[in-house]
């Protein structure tokens, strides 16, 4: 097969011979080009179809979302709930004010704890629109209420701490008899005495209060039990710390009714009278110490109770 090529601008001709192999290669290249163009066209069509599907899906999802009116209705409902919450907090503030005023009524702190006044506060002034029914105003109200509630809580906590401390001071006040009942009497005083065992003069660091075995022994003040068990010479002993360096001891007990670490109040039962340890009979050896120095317990036994 012959193919003649004519060059117009030169007036020349050229003859190309095409054998079957060359013709086959030419046909293959032509078919490949056509297939490539067709494949590219198919891919572009698929991409367009995919984009169209995505757009339709987004449109359907937008149609499925709540309408604007429904959204506004939900927003109004939540706003109403917020307004109710603000009202409840304002009522709670009124209750806190009344409670605080009642607590300080009979104390010397009435001037320091004024629950009727707005707590001191400050800061630069920021102008806002005076629209009473805007969410921003509700959030501002909530912020102010939160500050006021926090101030009231701090005041109430301080007042509670003072009252607890005041109560502890009163209840830890040491006074009264560690044992009461018929036949109770002081069988051995504080100070120098004749030791019942050696028959020689010896110093007695407490007072002995005689009574029937099993008589209840009570704490003469509030405090913490720091010893509850046997100790040489004392027998079964209960030792209580009352704060400010004050300690009381109750010795020779038949049985101990408390344990170390217990917090006891004034008048609580702590032991039963007995004759354990270095003892000649049923009694309670009662000591009062201040920073480790023995004091005469009789001053506390006959002491008037705190008001």
């Amino acid at each position: 097969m012959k193919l003649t090529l004519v060059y117009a601008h030169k007036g020349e001709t050229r003859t190309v011979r095409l054998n079957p192999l060359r013709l086959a290669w030419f046909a293959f290249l032509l078919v490949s080009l056509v297939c490539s163009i067709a494949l590219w066209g198919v891919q572009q069509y698929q991409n367009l179809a995919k984009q169209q599907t995505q757009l339709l899906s987004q449109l359907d999802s937008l149609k499925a979302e709540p309408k604007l009116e429904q959204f506004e209705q939900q927003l109004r409902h939540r706003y109403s709930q917020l307004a109710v919450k603000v009202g409840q907090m304002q009522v709670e503030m009124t209750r806190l004010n009344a409670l605080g005023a009642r607590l300080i009524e009979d104390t010397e702190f009435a001037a320091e704890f004024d629950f009727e006044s707005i707590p001191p506060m400050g800061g630069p002034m920021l102008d806002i629109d005076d629209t009473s029914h805007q969410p921003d105003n509700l959030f501002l109200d909530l912020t102010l209420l939160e500050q006021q509630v926090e101030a009231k809580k701090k005041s109430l906590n301080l007042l509670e701490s003072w009252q607890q401390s005041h109560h502890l001071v009163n209840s830890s006040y040491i006074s009264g008899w560690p044992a009461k009942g018929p036949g109770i009497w002081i069988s051995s005083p504080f100070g120098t005495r004749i030791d019942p065992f050696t028959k020689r003069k010896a110093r007695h660091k407490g007072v002995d209060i005689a009574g029937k075995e099993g008589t209840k022994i009570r704490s003469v003040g509030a405090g913490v039990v720091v010893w509850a068990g046997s100790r040489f010479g004392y027998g079964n002993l209960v030792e209580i710390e009352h704060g400010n360096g004050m300690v009381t001891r109750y010795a020779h007990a038949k049985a101990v009714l408390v344990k170390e670490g217990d917090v006891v109040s004034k008048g609580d039962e702590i032991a039963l009278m007995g004759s354990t340890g270095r003892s000649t009979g049923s009694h309670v050896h009662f000591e009062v110490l201040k920073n480790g120095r023995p004091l005469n317990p009789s001053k506390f036994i006959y002491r008037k109770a705190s008001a």
Side-chain angles (χ1 to χ4, degrees):
M1 180 179 180
K2 293 182 180 181
L3 179 64
T4 302
L5 301 177
V6 179
Y7 298 94
H9 63 287
K10 292 183 179 180
E12 298 178 356
T13 61
R14 184 176 180 183
T15 301
V16 179
R17 294 180 180 274
L18 296 177
N19 56 30
L21 182 59
R22 288 183 178 180
L23 186 61
W25 272 108
F26 178 77
F28 174 76
L29 292 175
L30 183 60
V31 171
S32 298
L33 179 61
V34 172
C35 291
S36 299
I37 294 174
L39 181 61
W40 177 81
V42 170
Q43 290 177 344
Q44 293 300 315
Y45 175 79
Q46 290 177 344
N47 290 335
L48 289 174
K50 184 177 181 181
Q51 292 177 1
Q52 183 180 12
T53 302
Q54 291 176 348
L55 290 174
L56 291 175
S57 176
Q58 292 176 358
L59 183 60
D60 292 338
S61 63
L62 288 175
K63 290 180 179 179
E65 290 181 355
K67 294 181 180 180
L68 183 59
E69 293 181 359
Q70 294 177 347
F71 177 76
E72 290 178 351
Q73 185 178 2
Q74 293 176 357
L75 187 61
R76 284 195 297 269
H77 178 68
R78 293 179 181 178
Y79 170 73
S80 299
Q81 290 179 329
L82 185 60
V84 171
K85 187 65 176 178
V86 171
Q88 291 174 345
M89 290 184 66
Q90 290 173 338
V91 172
E92 184 66 15
M93 276 297 302
T94 302
R95 191 188 69 83
L96 284 175
N97 287 337
L99 175 61
R102 189 165 62 252
L103 288 174
I104 66 172
E105 190 174 13
D106 298 324
T107 71
E108 63 268 32
F109 293 102
E112 287 78 1
F113 295 96
D114 187 0
F115 285 88
E116 298 298 329
S117 302
I118 298 175
M121 61 182 67
M125 179 177 176
L126 299 177
D127 293 331
I128 57 174
D129 294 333
D130 187 16
T131 51
S132 303
H133 301 288
Q134 293 297 325
D136 288 344
N137 285 347
L138 273 181
F139 285 116
L140 179 60
D141 290 343
L142 281 174
T143 301
L144 293 176
L145 281 173
E146 184 179 10
Q147 293 174 352
Q148 293 176 16
V149 168
E150 191 64 26
K152 305 302 181 187
K153 285 170 59 179
K154 288 181 179 179
S155 297
L156 287 173
N157 287 337
L158 288 173
L159 185 59
E160 181 185 23
S161 298
W162 175 84
Q163 288 183 334
Q164 288 179 346
S165 176
H166 184 68
H167 173 73
L168 181 61
V169 169
N170 288 337
S171 61
S172 62
Y173 181 85
I174 299 173
S175 64
W177 288 74
K180 294 182 179 180
I184 297 295
W185 59 289
I186 296 179
S187 57
S188 182
F190 173 82
T192 303
R193 69 171 185 174
I194 300 299
D195 185 274
F197 293 94
T198 65
K199 306 302 180 182
R200 292 183 294 186
K201 286 185 179 181
R203 181 168 176 76
H204 190 216
K205 297 191 297 181
V207 296
D208 292 337
I209 301 174
K212 184 179 179 181
E213 182 177 342
T215 299
K216 295 176 180 178
I217 300 173
R218 303 177 185 273
S219 174
V220 295
V224 179
V225 178
V226 295
W227 185 280
S230 179
R231 184 184 293 184
F232 180 75
Y234 287 92
N236 292 327
L237 170 70
V238 175
E239 185 173 304
I240 299 175
E241 283 192 3
H242 303 275
N244 296 322
M246 299 297 295
V247 174
T248 55
R249 290 174 178 167
Y250 314 78
H252 308 302
K254 175 182 179 181
V256 172
L257 305 180
V258 292
K259 62 181 182 299
E260 294 178 15
D262 283 352
V263 177
V264 296
S265 300
K266 185 180 182 69
D268 282 355
E269 299 174 9
I270 57 174
L272 300 178
M273 189 178 293
S275 185
T276 58
R278 195 170 183 267
S279 171
T280 60
S282 177
H283 74 287
V284 55
H285 172 82
F286 177 52
E287 291 184 16
V288 179
L289 300 95
K290 171 73 172 180
N291 296 324
R293 183 175 64 88
L295 303 178
N296 188 349
S298 297
K299 296 180 180 179
F300 299 91
I301 290 174
Y302 296 105
R303 190 183 194 183
K304 290 184 178 180
S306 175

